[in-house]
């Protein structure tokens, strides 16, 4: 894959992830820089799914620091265990939030965000979270286990290209 995506004409997310995963894997295999890879992944996911915001936060010391993203201006730093991103880091597990206004301690970087999924990215040992992929939607309840499973599987395959 170079600059062209092959996107099936469907609204079926499982089918879209199945088509995109090998293309994303090929894209990051050709590039060794993690920032470039994060940037392209954010662009692909936002372009294909039309999400409101897609980006990465990297673990730097005791904070998550904003990395490459697609969307409106974002929070630059998030504390350990704070908000959805900090919770995903602390629990080392994917967080699906159907309504961000109902999430205790939600950090509102944008009032347009209505639901969110955050997927941790692990170091090669699979034990330490080194970053998170954060995706926001401007629709309530926009994420499901289909998103979680497919994004987790993708990040397991390519996580080493993002650090």
């Amino acid at each position: 894959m170079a600059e062209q995506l092959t996107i099936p004409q469907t609204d079926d997310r499982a089918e879209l992830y199945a088509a995109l995963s090998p293309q994303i894997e090929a894209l990051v295999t050709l590039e060794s820089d993690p920032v470039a890879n994060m940037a392209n992944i954010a662009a692909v996911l936002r372009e294909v799914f039309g999400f409101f915001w897609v980006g990465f936060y990297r673990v730097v010391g005791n904070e998550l620091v904003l990395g490459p993203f697609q969307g409106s201006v974002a929070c630059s730093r998030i504390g350990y265990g704070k908000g959805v991103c900090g919770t995903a880091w602390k629990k080392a597990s994917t967080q699906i939030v159907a309504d961000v206004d109902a999430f205790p301690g939600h950090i509102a970087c944008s009032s347009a965000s209505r639901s969110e999924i955050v997927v941790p990215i692990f170091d090669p040992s699979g034990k330490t979270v080194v970053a998170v992929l954060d995706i926001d939607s401007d629709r309530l309840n926009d994420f499901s286990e289909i998103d979680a499973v497919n994004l987790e599987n993708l990040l397991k395959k390519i996580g080493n290209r993002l650090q």
Side-chain angles (χ1 to χ4, degrees):
M1 181 175 137
E3 296 85 27
Q4 193 75 6
L5 294 174
T6 303
I7 305 167
Q9 297 301 312
T10 181
D11 291 330
D12 182 320
R13 284 202 183 165
E15 191 176 328
L16 287 168
Y17 283 116
L20 285 177
S21 288
Q23 295 180 77
I24 291 171
E25 288 177 54
L27 179 64
V28 301
T29 298
L30 298 173
E31 177 56 58
S32 61
D33 185 82
V35 172
N37 285 332
M38 288 179 186
N40 271 329
I41 291 167
V44 167
L45 293 173
R46 187 159 190 239
E47 177 182 340
V48 171
F49 293 101
F51 296 129
F52 172 73
W53 195 94
V54 180
F56 292 87
Y57 283 92
R58 301 168 298 111
V59 175
V60 179
N62 62 350
E63 294 179 302
L64 290 170
V65 177
L66 181 63
F69 69 93
Q70 293 277 316
S72 58
V73 174
C75 301
S76 296
R77 295 177 181 268
I78 298 172
Y80 183 75
K82 304 294 182 189
V84 182
C85 290
T87 299
W89 176 22
K90 181 177 180 179
K91 292 184 175 184
S93 65
T94 298
Q95 304 296 302
I96 298 174
V97 179
D99 180 354
V100 296
D101 292 333
F103 187 88
H106 176 254
I107 300 168
C109 296
S110 171
S111 61
S113 179
R114 305 295 299 139
S115 60
E116 186 170 1
I117 185 169
V118 180
V119 184
I121 300 166
F122 295 91
D123 71 353
S125 75
K127 296 178 183 174
T128 302
V129 176
V130 296
V132 297
L133 169 61
D134 179 19
I135 304 176
D136 292 21
S137 175
D138 56 2
R139 292 175 287 191
L140 288 171
N141 200 28
D142 198 20
F143 302 102
S144 72
E145 284 301 310
I146 290 172
D147 299 289
V149 167
N150 283 281
L151 291 168
E152 288 168 358
N153 287 340
L154 175 64
L155 293 173
K156 282 179 190 170
K157 291 178 188 174
I158 65 168
N160 65 324
R161 306 300 289 182
L162 304 176
Q163 49 195 298

